[in-house]
């Protein structure tokens, strides 16, 4: 089961708002794969998604660390993946510097992907077919200096429903 949604963002602020609308719907345990060239807005989208999760910390690309963990600021320091207010942690990955998909296993990242947190992976295409069958893939492309195309591809029943809810909340028209 697959569903797509295609939209255009006219500014980085709008890209963040789209991320925020998606973040507001996330319950934990989601796998969000972001693909696109440098400068297409992957981190910008993640900043909005974090806001939607209630995270107020400054979100930056984890290019050199590969992973950054963010907790909802209402209850920082809680050691579980889901916070007492029900909002999950955000695990923000950047695989740009990954040379081999097997490194994901070697580094123990797969544990995060199957946790109660929300895993957002920039440069997900570098891991090839490593990903679970069910996920949300978002392909970003540069349309102009300020415009970005976002193609949402939901695979699996859970993610198709998430995409339908996102479409309603963000007032986005569907692609196919």
């Amino acid at each position: 089961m697959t569903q797509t949604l295609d939209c255009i963002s006219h500014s980085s602020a709008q890209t963040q708002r789209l991320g925020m609308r998606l973040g507001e719907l996330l319950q934990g345990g989601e796998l969000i794969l972001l693909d696109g060239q440098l400068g297409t807005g992957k981190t910008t989208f993640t900043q909005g998604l974090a806001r939607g999760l209630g995270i107020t910390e400054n979100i930056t690309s984890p290019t050199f660390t590969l992973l950054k963990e963010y907790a909802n600021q209402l209850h920082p320091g809680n050691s579980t993946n889901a916070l007492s207010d029900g909002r999950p942690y955000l695990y923000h990955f950047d695989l740009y510097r990954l040379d081999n998909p097997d490194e994901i296993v070697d580094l123990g990242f797969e544990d995060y992907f199957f946790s109660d947190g929300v895993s957002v992976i920039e440069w997900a295409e570098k891991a090839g077919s490593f990903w679970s069958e069910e996920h949300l893939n978002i392909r970003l492309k540069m349309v102009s200096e300020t415009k970005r195309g976002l193609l949402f591809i939901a695979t699996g029943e859970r993610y198709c429903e998430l995409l339908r809810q996102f479409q309603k909340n963000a007032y986005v028209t569907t692609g196919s």
Side-chain angles (χ1 to χ4, degrees):
M1 172 181 257
T2 301
Q3 183 175 343
T4 64
L5 182 69
D6 201 356
C7 67
I8 299 288
S9 169
H10 296 272
S11 67
S12 59
Q14 187 176 22
T15 300
Q16 284 184 345
R17 278 193 304 275
L18 289 168
M20 186 176 76
R21 292 290 186 224
L22 181 63
E24 291 168 348
L25 297 170
L26 301 177
Q27 301 297 309
E30 290 89 2
L31 181 61
I32 313 291
L33 309 178
L34 302 178
D35 294 320
Q37 295 301 312
L38 286 170
T40 54
K42 295 180 296 293
T43 301
T44 300
F45 184 85
T46 304
Q47 290 167 342
L49 190 138
R51 260 193 236 128
L53 287 169
I55 296 167
T56 59
E57 195 172 339
N58 184 34
I59 306 297
T60 58
S61 180
T63 301
F64 295 100
T65 59
L66 300 179
L67 166 65
K68 289 187 179 178
E69 297 182 37
Y70 299 96
N72 176 311
Q73 300 306 300
L74 297 175
H75 299 93
N78 189 328
S79 63
T80 63
N81 290 329
L83 300 167
S84 60
D85 69 349
R87 302 306 295 161
Y89 274 72
L90 172 63
Y91 303 120
H92 184 198
F93 295 86
D94 185 323
L95 304 184
Y96 182 74
R97 299 194 180 283
L98 194 72
D99 293 321
N100 182 336
D102 292 337
E103 291 178 72
I104 290 173
V105 176
D106 296 341
L107 294 167
F109 287 170
E110 65 185 331
D111 293 339
Y112 289 92
F113 305 147
F114 301 103
S115 74
D116 291 335
V118 173
S119 293
V120 175
I121 297 92
E122 295 189 28
W123 298 96
E125 71 271 15
K126 295 203 60 136
S129 61
F130 176 83
W131 309 115
S132 120
E133 282 186 33
E134 295 199 6
H135 59 267
L136 178 61
N137 184 273
I138 305 168
R139 296 181 185 159
L140 296 98
K141 68 178 180 178
M142 197 172 295
V143 176
S144 72
E145 191 173 319
T146 57
K147 291 182 184 178
R148 301 295 184 263
L150 289 88
L151 175 62
F152 295 79
I153 305 164
T155 305
E157 188 175 332
R158 174 185 186 190
Y159 291 95
C160 287
E161 180 57 31
L162 175 65
L163 195 55
R164 282 190 286 278
Q165 291 300 316
F166 171 73
Q167 181 182 358
K168 288 179 190 176
N169 287 8
Y171 307 106
V172 179
T173 57
T174 188
S176 60

